[in-house]
Amino acid sequence: MGKTKGCEDCLNLDIFRPNIKEKNLPVLFFIHGGNNQSGAADQVNWQKFAEREHVIAISINHRLGALGFNPLPALKHGTVEENSGNFAVLDFVRGLDWTKENIASFGGNANNITIAGFSSGGRDVMALLISPIAKGKFQKAISFSGGMTTSDTAWAQQIFAQHFASLVVADGIKKSDIDAAKWLLQDTPEVRDYLQNLSADRIAAAFGHAGIRMSAFPHLYNDGIVLEKDAFATKNYNQVPLIMTTGIDEFSLYTRTDSYFSPSVKDGSIFTDPEKHKEFAFAKTYGSRLYELFNAEESAVTMFNHYGKAPIYTMKIAYGNNPKLVGEKTAFTSGSIHGIWIPFATGIPTATTAGYPAGSFDNPGALALTAQIQDYLGNFMRTGNPNGKGLVTWKKWTSATEGPSQLYVNSDGTKVDIHQEYGRTTYQSILDEIVRDTSITENAKEELIKHVLSGRWFSKGLDTFFHNN
């Protein structure tokens, strides 16, 4: 416990290929989740999906944490791409280059590559859509619970300097964290030599896990070279067919692991203390609605008018919050959790869904839903259109203000429920509901708004509205 896992020699690929004679197979290039700080290529097992859909699936390992992203000025003495500090993004691009150059040897089609990613990997996929150096390196994109995030380089430099300052003090170079941070912000040979000679385990330990808060680990710098300077306000998207998915209880994982609730979840009092129970429901409900909006619908609204003719499809997964299928406790504390897509897209449960009761994902309805979601994804990889024989029509976005929105998918354990939703949800409508909500005390509401829901990827509108610091 407490030791850093991983290695610096980490840029490698896992490749799944079905045992068939077909060639020119579509290729999935997958980026794992973990806030770009943790995780590995084996987070998601694509074997069954590759076999069923006759595709090749690749998962990439890449540089993580402050080895994958570092904007400090003293390190900006390489190529213009390296000077961005977006080292992990350079890994993705190099992995795509290798794939294009070599995938024919595995029976893959170098001109039919779909980039995909989960959580931070989904955000990385979205970032590749605004990466000038990634243009033309993929033909389609899938973001599982991703959304749009970048960070300003100058702001990120301040935070990086603060985090590395304690190392500088411990090494006797400066006497205080304040002086150390100022020193780290200098572009001098001394600072560069110091940073380049730090051991990997000390660099990796400089940041704790960010808990979906950019201020805790700023990354994806919109430098103008690797990522568009105007970030997602750009008109210069890499326009390819795009799918974005979300669960409806995305924030349940972060609700139950937040220090405000984790003791009550651990000792079970979340189910016996009525006030704590209602507070958990409040945080999970509104955090999930904001997170869901961020993952798919709001991203589609933001990019639609600048995305040309390339189609955008969004999906909402509602499976997991039916007590009859997963039990009262799991439905309440997990529901359609962050990562609920994995057992359906791959046919293989993962750590995210390990706590669900046995049989949750192999009942007739769940198995039927798995087959249909896999077919949607396989069709999309082949043609850029997820629709096909035996599937409910999944409509693409036709407007930023009206028309089709999510494809809703669920199952009651026996039959599948898939239908197209219409209309738009807005941040303001959710914020207005929070204001009107009287299920908890005003003091509890203020605490949850300012310390549990605040500062997350999806929280900018909430933080502005409620004047959070």
Side-chain angles (χ1 to χ4, degrees), residues 6 13 34 42 72 175 207 253 304 312 319-320 338 341 358 412-413:
L13 307 169
D42 63 0
L72 289 173
K175 293 184 177 180
F207 288 84
L253 173 63
F304 184 84
I312 298 172
Y319 191 90
H338 188 62
W341 66 273
D412 63 4

Side-chain angles (χ1 to χ4, degrees), residues 33 195 259 289 299 353:
L195 291 170
S259 59
R289 290 186 62 191
S299 294
T353 53

Side-chain angles (χ1 to χ4, degrees), residues 30-36 43 116-126 141-149 212 220 242-254 288 290-297 299 313-318 336-343 345 352 377 406 457-458:
F30 180 75
I31 305 170
H32 66 78
N35 198 59
N36 282 317
Q43 181 186 60
F118 166 49
S119 193
S120 62
R123 293 187 294 107
D124 295 333
V125 164
M126 300 302 288
I142 304 172
S143 174
F144 298 104
S145 302
M148 296 174 164
T149 54
I212 65 171
L220 294 171
L242 171 65
I243 285 175
M244 293 180 284
T245 79
T246 185
I248 66 170
D249 296 309
E250 290 276 347
F251 196 60
S252 60
L253 173 63
Y254 303 98
S288 293
L290 291 167
Y291 202 173
E292 173 193 326
L293 184 62
F294 169 84
N295 283 341
E297 188 176 350
S299 294
Y313 301 90
T314 57
M315 175 189 287
K316 176 195 296 187
I317 302 174
S336 185
I337 199 171
H338 188 62
I340 193 66
W341 66 273
I342 298 176
T352 303
L377 298 177
Q406 327 299 11
W457 308 138
F458 55 77

Side-chain angles (χ1 to χ4, degrees), residues 46 49 53 142 144 243 245 315 341 344-345 372-382 386 394:
W46 290 102
F49 175 75
E53 296 299 328
I142 304 172
F144 298 104
I243 285 175
T245 79
M315 175 189 287
W341 66 273
F344 296 108
Q372 293 192 40
I373 288 177
Q374 290 184 343
D375 286 347
Y376 278 125
L377 298 177
N379 292 340
F380 180 79
M381 287 179 61
R382 283 182 282 274
W394 185 353

Side-chain angles (χ1 to χ4, degrees), residues 19 52 122 134 162 176 184 225 265 267 269 310 337 344 349 403 410 465:
N19 186 19
R52 175 184 170 85
Q162 293 166 15
S176 72
L184 285 162
I225 301 295
V265 173
D267 66 17
S269 60
I337 199 171
F344 296 108
N410 200 355
F465 186 81

